[in-house]
Amino acid sequence: MNFETISVVGLGYIGLPTAAVFAARKKRVIGIDVNEHAVATINRGEIHIVEPDLDMVVHAAVTEGYLRATTTPEPADAFLIAVPTPFKADHEPDLSYIEAASNAIAPVLAKGNLVILESTSPVGATEAMAQWLAAARPDLSFPQTHGESSDIRIAHCPERVLPGHVLRELVENDRIIGGMTRKCSEAAAALYKTFVEGECIVTDARTAEMCKLTENSFRDVNIAFANELSIICDKLGINVWELVRLANRHPRVNILQPGPGVGGHCIAVDPWFIVSQTPEDARLIRVAREVNDGKPEWVVKKFEQSIQRLLSSNLGKSTESIVVACLGLAFKADIDDLRESPALAICQNIAEKFLGHLVVAEPNIAKLPCALASKATLVDFRQAVEEADIIIVLVDHKEFKAIAENSLEKKIVIDTRGIWDIAK
Ligand code: SAJ
């Protein structure tokens, strides 16, 4: 199959790098997004997200004329849908962005096109997408009714890249290709081979959907184990970072790192897609989510205890005079992404209750999110450390790791990431 023009719908953390990588292989790429600011930024050759080296690749792709962004879908040979799949209040998956993207591209679909769903999705979402497209285009035939002879090929190929390493992982990672038919898979594999150096492994759409959910649930369960250990160790007076290091010396043990909770739009979300489809059976997966979701509250309790400790050891001191520094708001190190961030949730919780002065250091953002703006001050991390009585490390950003340990003397430190672990 020949794919000269590729349309990527959704120019976020996955769609934009994917569009840029196709463009770097000299494919004509049309990026579609409902966000006019994102479209205008990309068309200037700039980017609206933080991801190492992405700015250079997008700049080159746009100036060489291979990548162009627009809010209105245009005809193409292949369409990749990379829109968000959040969950609703009851943890049910919200497929409305996929439905909206399907309805947006349906009018420009043509016989021979390939449509790929990249968004992480509950089992059955690819079939739902195929139904939405078929309902909008009764003049075309689709795999669910016409099998291998369909006009339109449809596949689910979940993205699996790690934020912060997206450009490398897009090229190097193996890719799971879940076509609705064998020809759908072959078409999708041919498209990805444009830039994927890993293996393209073919399966069906439902297995591909479940595979992605399984990968992230596996990680969530393993982080929950580390987080539970950190709470147990705190009670027993054991340094959890040292404990994990020692246990990991066993050849078949590989415990992940405890933290302030699990954030991001993937690991904190995707396991719920399994739980919501099979609530009776997904017991371990649900409890892991609950353990990880409970960790921010535990950190806030540690903070409250530290205030009491400070007040009882400094009898003249008032709560109002205490300066607290939260280091980091992003959901993990060296990115600007605040989505589902436990650090942000902890900071907001503290801001609501705490009567003293709250300073926040987050080197990857220029201003505080609205919910914090009136209650905290965004400062340089060095200033935050200098001013604070209590320092709460919430993200292991490289800037924080470089802070000299002697600047922490006489301060209460709650290090949820173990970056200044003295037992190292
Ligand atoms: N975290 C810990 N301890 C650890 C590892 C992570 O507390 O030992 C926390 C992080 O701080 C963060 C959260 O977990 O808050 C998630 O971070 P992450 O680095 O584990 O994963 P994501 O969400 O950035 O990316 C994941 C990846 N999935 C897996 O590693 C199985 C990535 O490959 C997926 O493409 C991505 O989800 C996605 O888009 O689904």
Side-chain angles (χ1 to χ4, degrees):
M1 286 193 80
N2 208 10
F3 301 104
E4 282 317 313
T5 308
I6 297 157
S7 179
V8 178
V9 186
L11 296 172
Y13 286 85
I14 300 302
L16 182 56
T18 305
V21 170
F22 273 119
R25 300 295 188 281
K26 307 215 177 302
K27 297 285 179 191
R28 305 248 157 236
V29 182
I30 305 164
I32 316 285
D33 205 291
V34 290
N35 177 346
E36 287 175 12
H37 164 72
V39 165
T41 308
I42 294 161
N43 283 334
R44 284 197 307 271
E46 294 165 14
I47 59 174
H48 60 296
I49 53 177
V50 172
E51 178 60 41
D53 302 330
L54 182 62
D55 51 349
M56 285 183 319
V57 186
V58 168
H59 187 262
V62 172
T63 47
E64 286 168 20
Y66 288 104
L67 173 62
R68 179 168 55 82
T70 166
T71 53
T72 322
E74 296 174 19
D77 301 317
F79 293 83
L80 274 84
I81 297 185
V83 294
T85 39
F87 55 62
K88 300 182 227 166
D90 51 3
H91 293 134
E92 290 283 318
D94 175 1
L95 300 187
S96 60
Y97 294 90
I98 300 179
E99 186 174 5
S102 307
N103 288 329
I105 62 164
V108 298
L109 274 190
K111 189 172 170 166
N113 281 175
L114 167 67
V115 182
I116 295 179
L117 179 61
E118 280 216 4
S119 313
T120 304
S121 301
V123 173
T126 310
E127 290 156 21
M129 180 185 81
Q131 294 293 1
W132 288 318
L133 292 171
R137 291 297 302 271
D139 55 317
L140 292 169
S141 65
F142 288 81
Q144 64 271 33
T145 49
H146 288 69
E148 296 295 27
S149 63
S150 65
D151 292 334
I152 305 294
R153 309 274 180 224
I154 293 185
H156 178 57
C157 305
E159 61 80 13
R160 308 159 95 194
V161 288
L162 195 67
H165 302 266
V166 168
L167 287 172
R168 181 175 55 76
E169 290 210 351
L170 263 179
V171 172
E172 289 179 4
N173 288 4
D174 292 342
R175 208 71 206 216
I176 307 296
I177 312 272
M180 284 185 69
T181 66
R182 192 180 44 81
K183 281 192 179 157
C184 294
S185 295
E186 280 168 9
L191 177 66
Y192 283 104
K193 280 184 182 148
T194 309
F195 66 82
V196 171
E197 288 169 10
E199 221 178 302
C200 290
I201 305 143
V202 167
T203 180
D204 56 69
R206 290 174 82 86
T207 309
E209 288 161 343
M210 189 61 181
C211 185
K212 173 61 195 262
L213 302 182
T214 300
E215 291 158 14
N216 281 354
S217 299
F218 172 86
R219 195 152 167 88
D220 198 42
V221 169
N222 281 280
I223 299 169
F225 182 76
N227 277 334
E228 187 164 290
L229 271 182
S230 72
I231 294 170
I232 294 168
C233 284
D234 186 70
K235 258 202 186 128
L236 300 180
I238 292 167
N239 177 332
V240 70
W241 315 102
E242 185 190 4
L243 175 80
V244 168
R245 265 197 309 278
L246 296 178
N248 283 349
R249 291 291 189 106
H250 185 287
R252 283 174 298 284
V253 174
N254 189 9
I255 304 169
L256 293 181
Q257 297 298 304
V262 167
H265 36 101
C266 309
I267 296 191
V269 175
D270 304 350
W272 288 119
F273 293 178
I274 300 180
V275 174
S276 76
Q277 280 187 318
T278 52
E280 312 265 287
D281 306 304
R283 292 180 298 158
L284 182 60
I285 297 173
R286 178 203 295 273
V287 171
R289 271 290 63 246
E290 288 166 355
V291 168
N292 287 334
D293 274 355
K295 193 73 193 289
E297 209 175 300
W298 184 84
V299 176
V300 172
K301 283 215 181 83
K302 293 294 304 170
F303 160 72
E304 287 166 351
Q305 287 163 6
S306 71
I307 294 272
Q308 292 315 321
R309 211 159 18 115
L310 189 63
L311 291 175
S312 56
S313 60
N314 288 273
L315 289 177
K317 207 165 174 77
S318 66
T319 310
E320 286 77 6
S321 68
I322 296 176
V323 180
V324 171
C326 283
L327 300 193
L329 287 182
F331 85 82
K332 65 176 194 173
D334 306 325
I335 57 168
D336 70 330
D337 195 341
L338 307 189
R339 286 179 291 176
E340 312 287 331
S341 171
L344 181 61
I346 291 165
C347 214
Q348 275 170 347
N349 193 318
I350 291 174
E352 273 155 32
K353 297 179 185 158
F354 176 54
L355 300 173
H357 186 43
L358 178 62
V359 294
V360 176
E362 176 43 80
N364 300 303
I365 60 170
K367 65 177 183 107
L368 286 176
C370 301
L372 270 181
S374 62
K375 299 177 187 128
T377 321
L378 183 67
V379 297
D380 179 80
F381 66 93
R382 284 161 287 239
Q383 186 187 337
V385 169
E386 196 182 313
E387 288 179 359
D389 301 299
I390 301 175
I391 300 170
I392 314 175
V393 181
L394 296 170
V395 189
D396 43 345
H397 287 316
K398 58 180 184 310
E399 293 85 350
F400 305 158
K401 285 191 196 158
I403 292 171
E405 281 183 25
N406 61 10
S407 58
L408 309 173
E409 273 164 23
K410 299 207 189 102
K411 298 179 190 280
I412 295 182
V413 176
I414 304 172
D415 181 359
T416 70
R417 298 280 186 177
I419 63 169
W420 298 323
D421 172 18
I422 37 164
K424 256 181 222 170

